[in-house]
Amino acid sequence: MLERRNSARLPLSLKVRELNGDYQYTWDAADLSEDGVFLKSKICFSSQDPFSKLNLTLPDGTPLLNVTARVVRESRRGPQVGCGLELMNLSEDHRMALKRFLVLRAS
């Protein structure tokens, strides 16, 4: 399979709140990168809007709120069932905070 990710993923246990239409969910993230997040056990239903609003707080306390995300990958089989979402509208401050966190955590 061709790897299409632009940034390295960091395995990470993290709670993510998703608002999709009128529905709100809480998911466990399996990993995080500068570009996206993989939500464990999330099944992507065709009736849902492909865009969601995510709220998450990094382990260092930095909140990332109202981040638009879109489904880019779904895994229904294998070791990890869930969905990969691309983070679409991070502010420059949030993008830098996320990058700083990932660099420090990876070292």
Side-chain angles (χ1 to χ4, degrees):
M1 182 186 329
L2 178 64
E3 181 67 41
R4 294 182 298 202
R5 291 178 184 86
N6 294 325
S7 57
R9 293 179 294 160
L10 179 68
L12 182 67
S13 179
L14 185 70
K15 293 287 185 193
V16 177
R17 282 192 8 233
E18 175 192 22
L19 181 63
N20 186 288
D22 293 332
Y23 300 98
Q24 184 170 320
Y25 309 93
T26 300
W27 304 104
D28 290 316
D31 61 53
L32 181 66
S33 74
E34 289 181 54
D35 299 323
V37 62
F38 187 84
L39 302 179
K40 296 189 284 189
S41 302
K42 176 176 170 48
I43 301 298
C44 306
F45 301 105
S46 59
S47 62
Q48 287 183 309
D49 187 338
F51 294 93
S52 295
K53 291 288 186 180
L54 303 182
N55 293 315
L56 58 123
T57 301
L58 299 176
D60 68 1
T62 303
L64 304 177
L65 305 175
N66 294 316
V67 176
T68 300
R70 70 179 178 107
V71 173
V72 292
R73 182 172 73 88
E74 183 175 12
S75 175
R76 291 189 180 208
R77 294 192 180 114
Q80 195 74 278
V81 174
C83 283
L85 286 91
E86 177 184 11
L87 304 178
M88 306 283 294
N89 71 333
L90 284 174
S91 69
E92 190 59 29
D93 288 342
H94 283 154
R95 187 167 301 285
M96 294 306 296
L98 179 56
K99 185 174 190 160
R100 218 175 7 260
F101 169 77
L102 292 169
V103 167
L104 288 173
R105 191 71 179 254
S107 58

